[in-house]
Every structure is written in structure tokens, then in C-alpha cells.
Amino acid sequence: MSDWITFALPKGRIMKDSMELFGRIGITCSEMEGDSRKLVFENREERLRFMAVRATDVPTYVEYGCADLGVVGKDTLLEQGKDLYEPVDLKFGYCRLVVAEPKALQADDDPSNWSNIRVATKYPNITERFFAAKGIQVELIKLYGSIELAPLVGLSERIVDLVSTGATLRDNGMVEVETIAEITSRLIVNRASLKTKHQRIGAIIDGLEKVVGENVRISP
């Protein structure tokens, strides 16, 4: 199956958004319609395969060549630092990676005076680099969910996490202090596949760039 193109896509909303975007350039898979617990789907006529994986695993499958292309959030790419080609910002899945703290701290707090802080986060690598660039020593506590809980129970005073509307932070008495990065979904490509399957992958990249560009121009 060396002439097939394999995609690694995160389960859930990002997969749905990805397939809607791919459909605009003729990439479809009828097997993926409806509810299915399958993990691998095929469009044999077009020699296309789609793998449903955890979002954090997408870069690994692409880096090791199990998938030629993938879709994943920029936050995951920044955190993992995999050796991948990242040709297209797909412009969906927008959110922000921020530093936040309890509202009660904000009145007397000045981030420019921070020297040694404790931070809970799912993103220890990004967090460490961000504060190191500011000359701030940081004690990192790696968590996998409900990051906002950490300040509520005294595990840490500050967190680094993704926010969309900010509602979860507000509901838990927290406020944003700084924005580390703006996050969207990206197309990633295995570097070897880009060479060995250049014609097909190049056409996909060109098609997506055109569609994404049209979306940007018509957006309010």
C-alpha cells in the first residue's frame, strides 16, 4: 500500500471539522459517516486511509511514518517538539494558551516581580520555556485534567492551560494574567512521505491552502 495516503486525525470535533474541510478538496470517506467504533477507515477507490487516534498521539504516528499526514492543535506541537513539516494553519479549533491565577491574587500581584513560582499545567515544556525566557524559576506540577482545581485546593497558585471563552476560569474564580500563544489546528506531514509521495501530498497542501485562504477572506 505504498501508494496510499494515510491521515492521523484526533477523535471528536477536530476529526469532524477536518473531514468537512477535506471534503472541499475531494477527500472523503463514506465509512466515517455515522457512529462507528472503528479506528481505521478506508476509501479504497481513492487509496486513502484515516486513523482515529488521541490528539496527543497524532504527531507520533506522523513522525514515525504510520501516517503521512495529520491534524493537531498547535499546543501539542509546541509541547512535543516533533520533527515534522507543518505546512498549513487550518484556522479552526481556535483557543489560547494562558497563564491564570485566582482573582483574589490579582489586585496585589505584579507578574514582572515574579522570581520563583509554582505552576500546574498539562504543558510543562511550553511553560518551562516561557518562564525561563523571562528569567523566572518555575516549579512545575504536571496534571492531566481539571487544571483549575489546583489553585482551589492549594496545589499551586497559578496554572497554564487552554481557554476558549474563559468561562471555566471565571466559574472557578480565576483570571488570565498572560497569553503564551494563540492556538489553531495545523496540518502536519511526515518529512519522508513529502518526498516519496510528493505529487499527491503537494496537491493536498495546495488545495487546503486555497480553501483556508478563501475562508479567511470571507470571514467577518
Side-chain angles (χ1 to χ4, degrees):
M1 291 188 174
S2 60
D3 61 338
W4 283 56
I5 297 292
T6 300
F7 295 78
L9 301 176
K11 300 174 184 177
R13 179 61 186 269
I14 296 298
M15 174 179 280
K16 181 176 181 294
D17 290 345
S18 298
M19 292 308 297
E20 287 179 359
L21 189 62
F22 292 158
R24 295 179 61 181
I25 61 171
I27 294 175
T28 61
C29 183
S30 59
E31 270 195 346
M32 299 174 73
E33 297 172 3
D35 296 326
S36 173
R37 294 180 181 270
K38 290 182 62 175
L39 298 176
V40 179
F41 306 87
E42 294 182 348
N43 178 338
R44 290 187 169 275
E45 184 177 346
E46 299 296 329
R47 305 189 312 284
L48 299 170
R49 184 186 299 107
F50 303 86
M51 299 162 41
V53 304
R54 287 176 62 95
T56 52
D57 291 338
V58 170
T60 300
Y61 280 104
V62 176
E63 183 183 41
Y64 281 88
C66 296
D68 302 297
L69 305 98
V71 174
V72 71
K74 182 64 175 179
D75 56 311
T76 301
L77 297 175
L78 290 171
E79 178 65 19
Q80 295 185 6
K82 301 288 189 182
D83 182 23
L84 299 163
Y85 182 46
E86 184 189 325
V88 186
D89 180 348
L90 300 176
K91 305 294 185 183
F92 61 77
Y94 176 81
C95 52
R96 290 170 293 115
L97 189 64
V98 306
V99 183
E101 66 184 8
K103 190 174 182 179
L105 284 180
Q106 188 180 37
D108 300 319
D109 192 28
D110 183 356
S112 65
N113 292 331
W114 292 352
S115 60
N116 194 321
I117 61 175
R118 179 186 287 178
V119 179
T121 184
K122 298 175 185 176
Y123 302 96
N125 294 326
I126 297 174
T127 301
E128 186 172 30
R129 290 196 302 267
F130 177 76
F131 286 112
K134 293 175 172 288
I136 300 171
Q137 291 186 334
V138 58
E139 179 184 352
L140 294 167
I141 299 175
K142 175 69 181 289
L143 296 176
Y144 295 89
S146 301
I147 306 300
E148 294 82 7
L149 178 62
L152 297 179
V153 299
L155 183 60
S156 71
E157 287 188 328
R158 297 171 182 89
I159 66 171
V160 167
D161 201 13
L162 288 179
V163 300
S164 180
T165 65
T168 302
L169 289 181
R170 291 191 295 272
D171 288 348
N172 288 281
M174 301 194 69
V175 293
E176 297 178 31
V177 178
E178 293 185 89
T179 296
I180 295 177
E182 295 188 331
I183 306 299
T184 50
S185 295
R186 309 299 174 101
L187 181 77
I188 56 174
V189 184
N190 175 274
R191 293 189 179 278
S193 295
L194 187 61
K195 296 178 180 179
T196 60
K197 304 177 183 180
H198 180 75
Q199 185 171 356
R200 292 192 72 190
I201 291 177
I204 292 169
I205 293 171
D206 291 344
L208 289 174
E209 286 178 336
K210 181 178 179 181
V211 168
V212 170
E214 290 173 349
N215 286 348
V216 170
R217 285 194 294 273
I218 64 176
S219 296

